[in-house]
Amino acid sequence: MMLLTGEYKVTLDEKGRISLPAPLRRDMNEMTLHITKGEDSCLWLFTGAKWEELVSSAIKENTDPFSRMDRSLLRRIIGPSQQVEIDKAGRIPIIQGLREFAGLSKDCMVLGQIDYIEIWDEERYKKYLINTDEEFIAASEALSGRIKRRRGID
């Protein structure tokens, strides 16, 4: 099982490509990936296998094209998704529309998220961290509570 972790500063080149950090490339172990719009104004990058799993078991089986909310999800996640290949230099291209959505400038951040990767504009990521500090504390406390309940500790 791959375990994508780490926080890396990368540069968006003039052709709209970023270099994936070597540890993440190694752990992904695939040359063809899928990139799409993510939550919080970042991009999500998946291996082909993880993308297929997400689309077939999580999205396709649980969405209804007659539901307004489901159509919104499909239009924001599936519609803009692109298949990309890692070139020999370890770079992936990011199309203009996705770069604009994420506000990507020259300085970007790449974050391993266990089984997918997030790509952020560096300044947007810094602001996100500052603005979600209370959410982080609440999520940590909620996780601690779930762990304690599973272990039978009250």
Side-chain angles (χ1 to χ4, degrees), residues 22-45:
L24 294 178
R25 283 195 319 265
R26 180 188 64 241
D27 291 342
M28 291 182 91
N29 200 23
E30 289 188 31
M31 295 305 286
T32 302
L33 308 171
H34 288 267
I35 189 168
T36 194
K37 293 177 180 178
E39 294 282 337
D40 304 311
S41 299
C42 71
L43 300 177
W44 289 343
L45 184 66

Side-chain angles (χ1 to χ4, degrees), residues 139-150:
S140 295
E141 290 173 357
L143 177 60
S144 174
R146 288 191 302 270
I147 291 169
K148 287 177 180 176
R149 281 190 295 283
R150 281 193 199 130

Side-chain angles (χ1 to χ4, degrees), residues 93-148:
I94 303 174
I95 63 167
Q96 181 70 27
L98 292 178
R99 291 194 313 264
E100 288 173 2
F101 167 81
L104 298 184
S105 59
K106 184 175 182 171
D107 296 321
C108 300
M109 296 298 295
V110 172
L111 308 169
Q113 296 296 308
I114 301 174
D115 56 4
Y116 71 98
I117 290 172
E118 290 183 346
I119 302 169
W120 287 80
D121 174 75
E122 182 181 26
E123 286 305 311
R124 199 175 266 191
Y125 179 62
K126 287 177 182 177
K127 287 177 187 172
Y128 169 82
L129 291 176
I130 291 167
N131 293 331
T132 59
D133 201 44
E134 288 181 21
E135 273 180 40
F136 170 68
I137 292 167
S140 295
E141 290 173 357
L143 177 60
S144 174
R146 288 191 302 270
I147 291 169
K148 287 177 180 176

Side-chain angles (χ1 to χ4, degrees), residues 27-109:
D27 291 342
M28 291 182 91
N29 200 23
E30 289 188 31
M31 295 305 286
T32 302
L33 308 171
H34 288 267
I35 189 168
T36 194
K37 293 177 180 178
E39 294 282 337
D40 304 311
S41 299
C42 71
L43 300 177
W44 289 343
L45 184 66
F46 296 90
T47 64
K50 190 64 185 175
W51 179 253
E52 291 298 323
E53 177 186 325
L54 175 72
V55 170
S56 65
S57 65
I59 296 175
K60 186 177 178 185
E61 291 179 12
N62 295 293
T63 57
D64 175 1
F66 296 102
S67 162
R68 173 179 235 138
M69 286 190 331
D70 290 355
R71 286 192 312 271
S72 178
L73 178 90
L74 292 169
R75 288 177 183 142
R76 292 173 188 257
I77 304 295
I78 303 300
S81 69
Q82 299 283 313
Q83 184 173 316
V84 295
E85 292 195 11
I86 301 173
D87 69 15
K88 292 178 183 177
R91 300 171 300 202
I92 60 163
I94 303 174
I95 63 167
Q96 181 70 27
L98 292 178
R99 291 194 313 264
E100 288 173 2
F101 167 81
L104 298 184
S105 59
K106 184 175 182 171
D107 296 321
C108 300
M109 296 298 295

